[in-house]
Amino acid sequence: RISSGGGSRFHWHLLQRELSRMDMAVQGVEVVRKALGPAASALQELSPYELLDAEFVLFWTLVQFAIFFVLGAVCAGLPIVKQRPLLASYCLVSLLPVVWLSVEGVLLFADPMPATVEERTFAPLDGASRICMIQITYQIFGIGAAILVGQPLLTAIMMVHHVCTMALGFANLAPFVHYHIIFFGGIIELSNIPLTIMDIFKYFPDLQRVAPSLNSLCRYSFAILFLVLRVALWIVYGARFHLDCIHVLQNGLASSPATVVLNQVLNLILTSMQLLWASKVVKGLAKALGLVKKKEA
């Protein structure tokens, strides 16, 4: 029972104020959605991708950039990250799509594997379509943030990674290989959760003294997840993916053979990147465990 005392009235006033703010936020979201309506409709009309939700892509791309600039302003006032506020903001904002993709992937991964090649390659999945579109927004944000921040985000290999992943996101809204997207677009992002936090510690070394245990936990968990997901399982699921694509091409099942070949080529490019990064992860892990002596300065 709510008392009529001054303290209770004060708490009720705070609750009303927070509810009012939430209502304003919801109204703001609706205003943005309506403002995006014409652009989304035009993009939808031009899009050759059957399952593309242009409003979803535009809205969540805009949300990431909006949070990026707001957090950048906040970080500019924090002594420990104020030297590179937009870099700190990028790392924090990246956690949103990374965690979202991971959750989507884990939830879909529990479903049994489709029995036929046709189901694995052509059956549409709502969750997989969402993964494609989240990846599109994430890669657009990554490219834009890299241009604004510069180094260490603006590198040739990361730009290639962003473009390849974004291209796959669009192409597979045909729909195509939705079963495989669960792993390559969703589950795989689990390794990026500790990596993103690890990057914050790397870019801002003073934080390592503030939370050394968390830094170590992220480094070791990233190394393990990377080697398990992006090397061992990547090769296993990659083999299944390519065998399915070859079956589709050999039997003339693809309405767009170019989409199949594009998927295979981009997957091979991304695979080569994983193996390149894996060599660095193994070297770093060996040094951390004392298996390899660090070079003396």
Side-chain angles (χ1 to χ4, degrees):
R1 187 171 64 90
I2 298 177
S3 168
S4 59
S8 296
R9 285 198 298 271
F10 175 71
H11 290 304
W12 177 245
H13 173 70
L14 287 178
L15 177 61
Q16 287 181 312
R17 188 173 67 182
E18 292 306 315
L19 289 173
S20 177
R21 287 178 177 175
M22 290 175 63
D23 184 59
M24 289 175 62
V26 171
Q27 291 180 16
V29 168
E30 288 304 313
V31 169
V32 172
R33 285 190 179 278
K34 288 181 180 179
L36 290 174
S41 297
L43 182 59
Q44 198 78 49
E45 289 292 327
L46 295 172
S47 170
Y49 308 109
E50 180 182 340
L51 300 179
L52 176 67
D53 184 340
E55 183 179 300
F56 179 99
V57 171
L58 289 174
F59 178 77
W60 284 107
T61 301
L62 182 62
V63 165
Q64 288 174 83
F65 276 108
I67 299 174
F68 171 68
F69 287 116
V70 170
L71 276 181
V74 172
C75 290
L78 300 176
I80 206 162
V81 296
K82 69 178 182 180
Q83 297 301 320
R84 301 291 304 274
L86 289 181
L87 178 59
S89 179
Y90 170 78
C91 293
L92 294 171
V93 176
S94 293
L95 283 171
L96 171 63
V98 164
V99 172
W100 191 359
L101 288 164
S102 299
V103 171
E104 292 279 2
V106 169
L107 292 176
L108 289 169
F109 198 67
D111 295 336
M113 182 180 77
T116 66
V117 173
E118 288 77 7
E119 289 177 303
R120 291 195 294 272
T121 51
F122 299 120
L125 297 171
D126 289 341
S129 296
R130 197 157 47 248
I131 286 174
C132 286
M133 290 187 288
I134 298 169
Q135 283 286 5
I136 291 169
T137 70
Y138 182 25
Q139 305 313 320
I140 293 173
F141 169 65
I143 293 170
I147 293 170
L148 292 170
V149 173
Q151 296 294 332
L153 303 182
L154 189 58
T155 64
I157 192 168
M158 284 310 301
M159 290 299 102
V160 171
H161 181 271
H162 289 318
V163 171
C164 288
T165 307
M166 180 174 61
L168 285 171
F170 278 112
N172 292 327
L173 288 170
F176 185 63
V177 293
H178 275 198
Y179 166 74
H180 297 286
I181 286 167
I182 296 171
F183 176 79
F184 287 110
I187 290 290
I188 209 73
E189 294 294 339
L190 284 166
S191 65
N192 278 344
I193 296 175
L195 173 62
T196 303
I197 300 171
M198 190 178 82
D199 281 344
I200 297 174
F201 283 109
K202 180 175 70 175
Y203 299 145
F204 304 98
D206 288 345
L207 286 172
Q208 296 177 21
R209 294 190 290 273
V210 175
S213 297
L214 179 59
N215 182 35
S216 296
L217 175 64
C218 289
R219 289 171 67 86
Y220 287 117
S221 60
F222 163 69
I224 293 169
L225 285 170
F226 187 95
L227 295 175
V228 171
L229 295 176
R230 292 183 177 265
V231 179
L233 290 180
W234 183 289
I235 292 172
V236 172
Y237 280 88
R240 167 61 69 185
F241 163 76
H242 284 286
L243 287 173
D244 283 352
C245 288
I246 291 170
H247 176 88
V248 165
L249 290 172
Q250 286 182 337
N251 290 276
L253 300 176
S255 58
S256 173
T259 298
V260 183
V261 174
L262 176 67
N263 265 269
Q264 291 189 278
V265 170
L266 294 181
N267 181 269
L268 289 173
I269 292 173
L270 292 172
T271 298
S272 65
M273 290 182 182
Q274 308 309 314
L275 295 177
L276 173 63
W277 290 327
S279 65
K280 296 180 180 180
V281 170
V282 170
K283 289 177 182 177
L285 190 59
K287 288 179 181 179
L289 295 174
L291 301 176
V292 176
K293 290 184 178 180
K294 296 180 180 179
K295 293 181 180 180
E296 294 184 3

